[in-house]
Amino acid sequence: TGYNKEGWKGTYIAVPQISGFTNTLDGAQLTWTPVKGATKYRVFYKDGNSWIGIANTTDTTFVDADVTSGVEKTYTLRCVDDSGNYVSDYSRTGASNVYVDTPYIYRYTTDADTNVTIYWTKCPGASEYRVFYYSGGTWKALGNTASYEFKIKQNPAATVYTVRAL
């Protein structure tokens, strides 16, 4: 048979791979490595057996604000061109993340011995909480607990506290 003497010229665009997740105050942040030749990325989440498009971005991070604490969500990415056409394949298994809310300190009490007890909201998906106080320009860990309260013994220098879910 004959053949096209000029051939076909195309550019291979690799499948974008999610490299990590960070649970933030605003939601679940996905991060991925840039793909050579890609100008935009379309972010998808899995709903049953279907992939649902969330957004297009030129960045290599995206924050999904539509998350629920303690619930796993699976994501994948595709490269798209400026017209919105797919120019890469995608990972059919995706990458999963369990979002965990940020604990909110809603009350603290003090006693006559200057002990402080702080109380925070339960965060579904958290197995423990780490309590910190702010001193000398840095956060210092006080300890871990599976409870939603923590008693700090005689630390009058510490007046600012925070809690992280683990």
Side-chain angles (χ1 to χ4, degrees):
T1 68
Y3 67 96
N4 179 343
K5 292 178 185 174
E6 294 184 25
W8 178 84
K9 187 185 335 180
T11 303
Y12 172 75
I13 306 287
V15 174
Q17 300 293 321
I18 296 171
S19 57
F21 293 96
T22 304
N23 292 329
T24 71
L25 285 170
D26 298 323
Q29 180 180 29
L30 295 72
T31 304
W32 58 93
T33 52
V35 174
K36 185 177 180 179
T39 56
K40 290 183 185 177
Y41 305 90
R42 182 163 298 147
V43 181
F44 296 84
Y45 75 92
K46 196 164 197 173
D47 184 13
N49 292 324
S50 301
W51 290 104
I52 309 298
I54 301 173
N56 289 345
T57 181
T58 57
D59 292 329
T60 55
T61 62
F62 174 77
V63 176
D64 182 5
D66 187 20
V67 290
T68 303
S69 190
V71 175
E72 183 178 71
K73 203 167 182 180
T74 302
Y75 301 89
T76 195
L77 304 162
R78 280 188 96 165
C79 297
V80 294
D81 63 18
D82 289 331
S83 299
N85 300 310
Y86 298 124
V87 294
S88 77
D89 204 353
Y90 64 98
S91 168
R92 281 153 179 72
T93 56
S96 298
N97 179 59
V98 175
Y99 177 76
V100 178
D101 279 335
T102 300
Y104 171 72
I105 297 173
Y106 64 87
R107 188 178 94 191
Y108 71 92
T109 59
T110 57
D111 63 24
D113 295 325
T114 68
N115 296 318
V116 173
T117 303
I118 58 174
Y119 304 85
W120 58 88
T121 55
K122 177 182 177 181
C123 299
S127 58
E128 274 190 311
Y129 301 89
R130 183 166 295 149
V131 179
F132 297 85
Y133 73 96
Y134 193 75
S135 176
T138 62
W139 289 101
K140 298 180 181 180
L142 288 167
N144 295 355
T145 181
S147 179
Y148 316 116
E149 63 181 70
F150 193 83
K151 187 172 189 171
I152 300 136
K153 298 183 182 267
Q154 299 181 351
N155 192 353
T159 58
V160 179
Y161 301 96
T162 195
V163 178
R164 290 189 77 175
L166 302 176

